[in-house]
Amino acid sequence: MEVQQIFHMNWGNGETSYACNSILQKLVINMAKPVVIGSISDLYTTNLPRCLRIADLGCSSGPNTLLVISEIIEAIDETCHELKLSTPEFQVFLNDLPSNDFNNIFKTLPAFYEQLKKEKGEKFGPCSITGLPGSFYDRLFPSNSIDFFHSSNSVHWLSQVPSMIENNKGNIYLARTNPPSVVKAYLEQFQKDFSLFLSLRAKEITSGGRMVLTLVGRRSEDPFGKESYPWEQLSKSLNDLASKGFIEEAKLDSFNMPYYISSRKELEGIICAEGSFYLDQFEIFDVNWDASDDDADNKECTFNRFITAQKVAQYVRAVIESLLACHFGDVVMDVLFNRYMEYVTDHLSKEEGKLTSIVISLRGK
Ligand code: SAH
């Protein structure tokens, strides 16, 4: 089945849901906030649109979904106060794949509107928020209609698993044992997808419009950097399950992640070659796998390592379970993620766990 038909973050608000397991992504959003606020404020004060049209691509469902939108509204409201202007109207589009849990978002909207009214008064807005199911690798909006595009933790997901990687045996992502053809196929798929993404948004963005994207990244040009560690450990866990007969080896060989961790050079190369956007800002930063794990004593403690590993396993499960369960079956998920947790605990006894992200701020030409 096609990735884009089945892929979704875990639904609802339960123990394994994305809503309850997206604190790492929230930290990434917090780190990128100054770039987002800088870009939207600049756009607003330059163009002063009467209605600000904003699209969040890959919004998922949970506390992060409306976080950036509320930060943007807050920043524009403050700017308007400083400049003694009345606030604009807001039209917000929340986009994700059709299997995203949009209903869960819609249920939170009345409280969100109510809060806005309470904090900003009756004169504020109006602000309308709409869900937009569809792939960001397709056209989503009419030409020249969106002032500001935002996307966090999403555009590293490819439109499909790269083709011609049948020889990626025993791995689910890039690994040092890969033949060069696998590395090439992954990079080419990312180049194709990201370039398409830029060219589609270039058609949809208004003149002078902006776009801020946050995605996983790597600091070095080595495609096997430690940033891909979580997927290596998931490969190992799946291999263990195959050797114990829980899953078929052939099934493992045919599973690959539609995901790519890019470097600065690769991103700059694609943006430059595609040619629709100026790259205004580029930043790279790390967040700890466990936000609370930032004092040295904590890391010495086996129990804390175990707790962090448990959280990491939950984060990864909330993100990737839909694809794994569809391929290997629901029944092996608990045993898989228990094994995964053991590998992560072991890793944390040797080194810190970090998630590296890149934030780029783009301006339409
Ligand atoms: N922005 C949120 C969610 C990130 S999770 C946050 O920062 O927490 C990544 C999201 O991207 C998922 O909900 C996934 O369904 C979505 N996604 C992946 N590929 C997509 C595509 N081609 N089109 C639209 N959404 C996509």
Side-chain angles (χ1 to χ4, degrees):
M1 211 191 290
E2 295 240 342
V3 167
Q4 298 192 27
Q5 285 170 327
I6 49 168
F7 185 45
H8 59 81
M9 303 295 105
N10 279 357
W11 293 325
N13 297 308
E15 206 188 331
T16 59
S17 66
Y18 185 75
C20 289
N21 294 287
S22 44
I23 292 171
L24 260 187
Q25 291 87 339
K26 182 180 175 190
L27 287 178
V28 171
I29 292 173
N30 285 344
M31 296 289 284
K33 183 177 169 183
V35 179
V36 174
I37 299 306
S39 172
I40 186 99
S41 305
D42 199 32
L43 158 81
Y44 181 68
T45 49
T46 311
N47 293 6
L48 292 177
R50 248 176 48 77
C51 176
L52 199 49
R53 296 198 172 86
I54 301 166
D56 189 49
L57 309 178
C59 62
S60 192
S61 167
N64 296 354
T65 303
L66 292 171
L67 178 64
V68 178
I69 301 305
S70 58
E71 288 172 354
I72 288 175
I73 291 177
E74 192 59 50
I76 297 296
D77 191 44
E78 272 175 29
T79 307
C80 289
H81 267 102
E82 279 163 25
L83 301 177
K84 303 207 175 356
L85 296 167
S86 52
T87 48
E89 298 179 355
F90 291 88
Q91 186 172 25
V92 178
F93 298 94
L94 299 175
N95 156 257
D96 207 293
L97 292 170
S99 43
N100 182 52
D101 194 354
F102 281 104
N103 275 337
N104 210 30
I105 307 177
F106 296 154
K107 283 185 217 149
T108 64
L109 287 182
F112 185 79
Y113 290 138
E114 199 51 44
Q115 186 73 16
L116 271 184
K117 213 188 280 176
K118 214 160 94 190
E119 285 174 6
K120 315 269 173 238
E122 293 290 340
K123 279 200 194 143
F124 180 83
C127 168
S128 92
I129 301 180
T130 316
L132 180 67
S135 168
F136 50 55
Y137 295 119
D138 288 322
R139 269 300 285 271
L140 293 168
F141 301 99
S143 303
N144 302 313
S145 63
I146 301 294
D147 300 300
F148 188 75
F149 280 110
H150 173 266
S151 176
S152 56
N153 302 300
S154 302
V155 290
H156 43 250
W157 290 104
L158 303 171
S159 64
Q160 58 170 73
V161 172
S163 42
M164 312 293 285
I165 56 168
E166 300 80 28
N167 43 1
N168 195 23
K169 293 205 186 328
N171 296 309
I172 62 166
Y173 182 59
L174 297 180
R176 278 198 195 281
T177 49
N178 284 151
S181 61
V182 176
V183 183
K184 188 165 171 275
Y186 262 102
L187 175 59
E188 284 177 0
Q189 186 66 47
F190 180 70
Q191 286 169 328
K192 190 169 152 227
D193 283 342
F194 192 53
S195 182
L196 173 65
F197 176 91
L198 293 175
S199 65
L200 294 166
R201 302 298 84 81
K203 295 196 179 90
E204 298 165 344
I205 205 163
T206 53
S207 159
R210 307 294 177 95
M211 174 153 75
V212 177
L213 309 174
T214 310
L215 66 165
V216 295
R218 53 178 215 272
R219 289 184 179 275
S220 82
E221 291 311 314
D222 175 8
F224 313 111
K226 56 183 177 187
E227 292 85 0
S228 47
Y229 165 78
W231 308 120
E232 267 170 49
Q233 304 308 307
L234 197 54
S235 292
K236 279 197 204 170
S237 313
L238 284 163
N239 273 292
D240 288 354
L241 261 60
S243 62
K244 290 194 177 121
F246 283 107
I247 58 172
E248 287 168 35
E249 208 158 299
K251 279 245 158 196
L252 169 55
D253 290 344
S254 62
F255 184 84
N256 289 291
M257 298 266 297
Y259 178 94
Y260 187 72
I261 306 174
S262 55
S263 71
R264 176 175 195 146
K265 208 166 137 196
E266 287 165 359
L267 281 167
E268 284 179 346
I270 301 167
I271 295 164
C272 180
E274 194 283 326
S276 303
F277 290 92
Y278 296 109
L279 177 58
D280 279 347
Q281 218 175 332
F282 183 106
E283 281 177 28
I284 186 158
F285 56 85
D286 295 323
V287 295
N288 250 352
W289 278 359
D290 182 354
S292 59
D293 187 15
D294 47 17
D295 76 87
D297 293 346
N298 256 353
K299 283 176 208 131
E300 300 303 317
C301 169
T302 314
F303 181 67
N304 283 328
R305 275 204 302 272
F306 173 75
I307 295 292
T308 303
Q310 201 174 25
K311 287 189 199 164
V312 172
Q314 295 267 64
Y315 300 151
V316 171
R317 182 171 183 166
V319 167
I320 196 68
E321 186 166 9
S322 61
L323 293 180
L324 290 171
C326 179
H327 192 83
F328 297 105
D330 287 330
V331 283
V332 292
M333 291 298 114
D334 285 342
V335 55
L336 172 64
F337 282 99
N338 282 336
R339 187 72 192 109
Y340 183 63
M341 200 174 72
E342 288 166 14
Y343 276 120
V344 178
T345 310
D346 183 48
H347 173 80
L348 288 171
S349 66
K350 295 178 204 131
E351 59 180 292
E352 275 185 326
K354 302 234 181 254
L355 171 72
T356 304
S357 294
I358 287 173
V359 55
I360 51 177
S361 176
L362 302 157
R363 191 159 37 94
K365 282 188 179 166

